[in-house]
Amino acid sequence: MLRAFELLSLVPVAHAALFHLEASPSILVNGTESQPTDFALRKRVYLPYGMGTNYAFGMGAAEKHAYDPLNKYAYMISEQGYVNVVDWSSVHSAEVKSDLAVDFGGAKLTDIQLCVSKKLLIVAEVAADTVGNGKVKFYSLIKRASPKAPTLLKSVDVGPSPDMILPNSDCSKVAVANEGEGDVINGFLVDPEGSVDILNVTGKCSSLQVSKKSVTFVSDAAGNQLTDALLISMGVPLPLPLKAQEYWDETGAFSDVSFTKSRTAYTTATQLEPEFLSWSTDDATLYVNLQENNAIATVSVPSCGHPSLIRIDALGMKDHGAVPIDIQEDSTTGQPSGTPATVCAQKTYAGFKALRMPDAIQAVRVDGGHLHPDRK
């Protein structure tokens, strides 16, 4: 699909202060704020997959995006290793600014965030071999008064496969979810540990300083050692635990993959894969979505001192014996011409359960109280 970036205009416009991009949202259930009643497409901008040039189908030109509401530029990640820029100073004449694009040399980019208050563009980059340590790079934001391409200010090594980055409300810290996704290299499974990095950010522009503190999944705040047996007993699925790897090696079921190296280097943390992040509204707690594990990790992040894992909570199963679901094929693809599409029919199925495995999470403040994503 040719990728496009669209602006949806809300009508009428709610009167509100500038939305702080990094802050967790607050909601008043019985609030009197005006609410949008409609929206309409104002502009569609087609994005290149290259560095400001080259348009094609299916090239992943707009995988992630971030918008600077002060300078009115949008930044988009391309799967080809570029960050392209769209000038949104005028909605109806928005356009790609090829001279402002940033070349990452073909690197796989996974996320992009802005710290507008500190004039920072932040990009996560996976190692070339996918299993080595990744990088988080800090660039200058484009200034409306004197636009020029972002310049690199700082590059920080982080854990393997940094899948998401997320600044806290004042951009003093940037959380990094290191998925630690495994890969088969020369016939052997290489599976690094999942982890979380907290980057402490001070200064601006040429005086920018970034330090790192890491959180590993070894034990929780209660002193429990996170073993395969403990997590499985808690209802936390492990994609390929040690006993499974031993079984596959002994049976030789996978002739093209050996687990001998991954078994030697095995820790339970290799089975935990952080993928999505959300800060609490007071920035003291970070919630980490372990999507493949159907679980949420809760991390304490003090303003001073070292961050630490508090606990891991399994999200449980969804019982479709009570919650209706449509499991019938609705598509007419491959069917004879004129075949009617299946009507959506929500039904319950006794004994049918499914993992929740959320793709995203969000902590919010509702009527002044915290609503945490680990509360089912």
Side-chain angles (χ1 to χ4, degrees):
M1 178 185 295
L2 186 62
R3 300 301 175 91
F5 187 69
E6 301 176 353
L7 177 67
L8 293 175
S9 178
L10 297 176
V11 183
V13 178
H15 297 286
L18 177 66
F19 176 65
H20 194 258
L21 296 179
E22 295 84 24
S24 294
S26 294
I27 298 172
L28 296 177
V29 175
N30 297 313
T32 59
E33 297 88 350
S34 59
Q35 301 295 322
T37 59
D38 198 4
F39 61 89
L41 176 65
R42 297 298 187 192
K43 179 70 175 180
R44 176 182 287 122
V45 179
Y46 288 97
L47 297 167
Y49 66 86
M51 185 176 173
T53 60
N54 299 327
Y55 293 79
F57 289 90
M59 300 304 293
E63 289 301 303
K64 296 280 184 73
H65 78 276
Y67 179 65
D68 177 354
L70 296 181
N71 293 288
K72 300 187 185 305
Y73 288 104
Y75 301 80
M76 261 68 62
I77 283 178
S78 162
E79 281 186 347
Q80 310 306 307
Y82 301 96
V83 169
N84 283 298
V85 179
V86 175
D87 183 348
W88 284 103
S89 57
S90 173
V91 173
H92 295 287
S93 60
E95 61 179 344
V96 175
K97 306 297 287 186
S98 59
D99 58 324
L100 300 179
V102 183
D103 185 356
F104 283 78
K108 179 183 178 182
L109 310 179
T110 53
D111 200 10
I112 183 169
Q113 295 284 339
L114 305 183
C115 278
V116 178
S117 62
K118 294 194 174 185
K119 302 179 176 61
L120 294 175
L121 164 68
I122 312 171
V123 180
E125 177 183 312
V126 175
D129 65 0
T130 72
V131 295
N133 285 338
K135 294 182 181 296
V136 171
K137 295 183 175 181
F138 294 77
Y139 285 78
S140 60
L141 280 181
I142 300 169
K143 299 178 182 178
R144 172 59 56 184
S146 54
K148 63 178 182 179
T151 56
L152 180 64
L153 302 173
K154 195 72 67 175
S155 179
V156 181
D157 288 343
V158 294
S161 301
D163 203 47
M164 182 178 179
I165 50 179
L166 187 66
N168 66 354
S169 61
D170 64 359
C171 290
S172 61
K173 300 180 188 296
V174 177
V176 186
N178 302 309
E179 185 178 359
E181 188 174 18
D183 197 7
V184 177
I185 300 177
N186 297 323
F188 293 91
L189 174 66
V190 179
D191 194 4
E193 293 185 344
S195 63
V196 172
D197 286 323
I198 303 295
L199 308 182
N200 295 289
V201 182
T202 57
K204 295 181 181 180
C205 303
S206 60
S207 63
L208 181 71
Q209 297 295 321
V210 182
S211 60
K212 180 183 72 174
K213 295 179 180 178
S214 300
V215 178
T216 56
F217 300 111
V218 177
S219 60
D220 59 22
N224 299 310
Q225 295 297 307
L226 300 181
T227 63
D228 287 15
L230 176 63
L231 289 177
I232 291 172
S233 71
M234 292 165 52
V236 177
L238 304 180
L240 198 59
L242 182 58
K243 288 185 177 180
Q245 295 187 35
E246 293 172 346
Y247 172 81
W248 294 123
D249 264 348
E250 290 172 1
T251 59
F254 295 101
S255 58
D256 55 345
V257 181
S258 172
F259 299 97
T260 54
K261 290 185 177 180
S262 58
R263 286 163 53 194
T264 300
Y266 186 87
T267 66
T268 297
T270 62
Q271 301 303 300
L272 299 176
E273 299 189 358
E275 296 196 40
F276 205 91
L277 303 167
S278 182
W279 287 97
S280 63
T281 52
D282 60 2
D283 289 340
T285 306
L286 180 71
Y287 300 99
V288 184
N289 182 27
L290 308 174
Q291 183 181 10
E292 304 300 327
N293 309 106
N294 193 46
I296 301 289
T298 303
V299 175
S300 172
V301 186
S303 57
C304 297
H306 205 286
S308 60
L309 176 68
I310 299 175
R311 66 177 184 273
I312 293 177
D313 292 288
L315 294 176
M317 306 283 281
K318 182 180 289 187
D319 183 2
H320 291 294
V323 180
I325 187 174
D326 175 19
I327 62 173
Q328 300 300 316
E329 176 62 58
D330 295 335
S331 173
T332 58
T333 302
Q335 301 299 317
S337 177
T339 301
T342 304
V343 176
C344 178
Q346 299 280 342
K347 297 180 180 180
T348 56
Y349 298 87
F352 178 35
K353 298 181 180 181
L355 295 173
R356 298 175 187 275
M357 296 183 67
D359 193 50
I361 58 174
Q362 179 64 62
V364 297
R365 181 189 293 273
V366 178
D367 290 338
H370 294 284
L371 180 62
H372 299 158
D374 61 323
R375 304 292 188 255
K376 296 191 285 289

